[in-house]
Amino acid sequence: MHVQSAPELRPVRPLLADAVEVARQALTDLGEDRVGPHLGVTADDDTTVTHRFAATIPGYHGWQWEVVLSALPDTDRVTVNESALLPGPEALVAPEWLPWDQRVRAGDLSPGDLLAPRADDPRLVPGYVATGDPVVDEVAFEVGLGRKQVMSLEGRLEAAQRWFDGDHGPDSEMAKAAPSTCSLCGFYLPLAGSLRAGFGVCGNELSADGQVVHAQFGCGAHSDTELPTGAGTPKFDAYDDGALEVVDLPTRTEVVVDVAVSEPAEETEVVTAEVEAERVEAAPTEGVEAAPTEGADTVSAEIVEAESTGTAERTSSDAVDEAAEAGTDSAPAE
């Protein structure tokens, strides 16, 4: 058992320090069955101590049961005062409670919600008080009345700082890349009053339309923006052929393959000179004496010449007919 005294090193009475089971039984009698080991005892004063037990309740890691016991100086009877479940040093607890007006953040307001200003809000002052804004003060002085409340100097400075540090301030990425500033843009609508020198409202529907922008803010939709001349688009410049690297590729070698297409052979018979001569000699001649004549020699010569040059092919029937005609004309009948 761990006995821990108070910061003043107040001793713990043995009677109360040894009453561990009395404290545990007090929790059991209350129906608490998730009681872990004893963690220690602390002396609150001369007659009161606090016993601590580990809580084994799911979801309450690090929490402790505490039971307060007391005993009078002149008695040996221990009395149970109270018990509680409290977070220990390693317990997971909710953050420190904050009032609602300190928890509300920008963007929390939705349609239908009502959000009143904080009591004694330093950002607001009564309308009849001089605010330092020449436009407001001049109107209030001339009319004798004004709005019930107007922004104070502190409120205007806070607003100006937020706008300066925001997405439409001079240090934003958009402003750093812009060709010019809002103070020189035709869509820039300066604010009235003391903030006129530093802020205005953008009137360009394609940019920060309706948003408060700093005078040194800027974007690509500035009224003086000019599109690049010539071909191309506003986003991309035309290609410069002179900046291109020309690489000569190796010429491709074409291989032409001649494929001999065999045509179907003609069914005609090619007659050579020797075959034709044999046929002429063997041809029957009834009543006609086959004698070599000038015409037959001419036909044979033509056939031989055609065979040697490969420019003519003659069928056997044509050759026979020509040879017969030549022989008939040249040979006289007996």
Side-chain angles (χ1 to χ4, degrees), residues 66-120:
E66 294 190 359
V67 181
V68 180
L69 304 180
S70 63
L72 296 176
D74 54 353
T75 183
D76 57 356
R77 181 180 179 182
V78 177
T79 302
V80 178
N81 290 353
E82 61 179 355
S83 64
L85 178 64
L86 299 175
E90 299 179 356
L92 179 63
V93 296
E96 183 181 357
W97 184 85
L98 293 176
W100 68 267
D101 57 345
Q102 299 181 26
R103 296 196 303 268
V104 177
R105 294 292 181 267
D108 293 344
L109 191 64
S110 59
D113 293 342
L114 299 178
L115 180 61
R118 298 191 298 266
D120 300 328

Side-chain angles (χ1 to χ4, degrees), residues 48-287:
T48 306
V49 296
T50 300
H51 285 271
R52 302 185 309 279
F53 300 88
T56 58
I57 304 174
Y60 283 79
H61 174 75
W63 287 60
Q64 302 174 358
W65 292 106
E66 294 190 359
V67 181
V68 180
L69 304 180
S70 63
L72 296 176
D74 54 353
T75 183
D76 57 356
R77 181 180 179 182
V78 177
T79 302
V80 178
N81 290 353
E82 61 179 355
S83 64
L85 178 64
L86 299 175
E90 299 179 356
L92 179 63
V93 296
E96 183 181 357
W97 184 85
L98 293 176
W100 68 267
D101 57 345
Q102 299 181 26
R103 296 196 303 268
V104 177
R105 294 292 181 267
D108 293 344
L109 191 64
S110 59
D113 293 342
L114 299 178
L115 180 61
R118 298 191 298 266
D120 300 328
D121 194 329
R123 300 172 301 171
L124 297 173
V125 293
Y128 56 82
V129 176
T131 64
D133 190 329
V135 176
V136 176
D137 293 344
E138 182 179 355
V139 173
F141 176 78
E142 292 180 356
V143 178
L145 298 174
R147 288 174 289 170
K148 184 177 180 180
Q149 295 185 96
V150 294
M151 289 194 72
S152 63
L153 176 61
E154 181 180 354
R156 295 197 305 275
L157 292 178
E158 289 182 1
Q161 189 65 47
R162 288 197 309 272
W163 298 341
F164 185 90
D165 298 334
D167 295 338
H168 299 132
D171 295 333
S172 63
E173 294 299 325
M174 180 71 76
K176 293 178 181 179
S180 186
T181 61
C182 289
S183 60
L184 302 177
C185 181
F187 298 108
Y188 181 72
L189 304 173
L191 295 180
S194 59
L195 297 178
R196 178 185 180 89
F199 298 94
V201 176
C202 178
N204 189 344
E205 62 180 351
L206 301 179
S207 184
D209 187 31
Q211 303 292 324
V212 176
V213 295
H214 193 272
Q216 298 303 312
F217 178 71
C219 68
H222 194 278
S223 60
D224 294 337
T225 300
E226 296 181 358
L227 299 179
T229 58
T233 64
K235 186 176 181 180
F236 302 102
D237 294 334
Y239 284 106
D240 184 5
D241 295 341
L244 298 179
E245 180 181 1
V246 180
V247 179
D248 295 332
L249 298 177
T251 53
R252 183 178 59 182
T253 303
E254 296 183 357
V255 178
V256 180
V257 179
D258 292 334
V259 179
V261 180
S262 59
E263 298 180 355
E266 297 181 358
E267 296 181 357
T268 58
E269 181 180 0
V270 179
V271 181
T272 62
E274 293 79 5
V275 174
E276 180 61 25
E278 293 177 359
R279 290 182 179 178
V280 171
E281 293 178 357
T285 55
E286 297 180 358

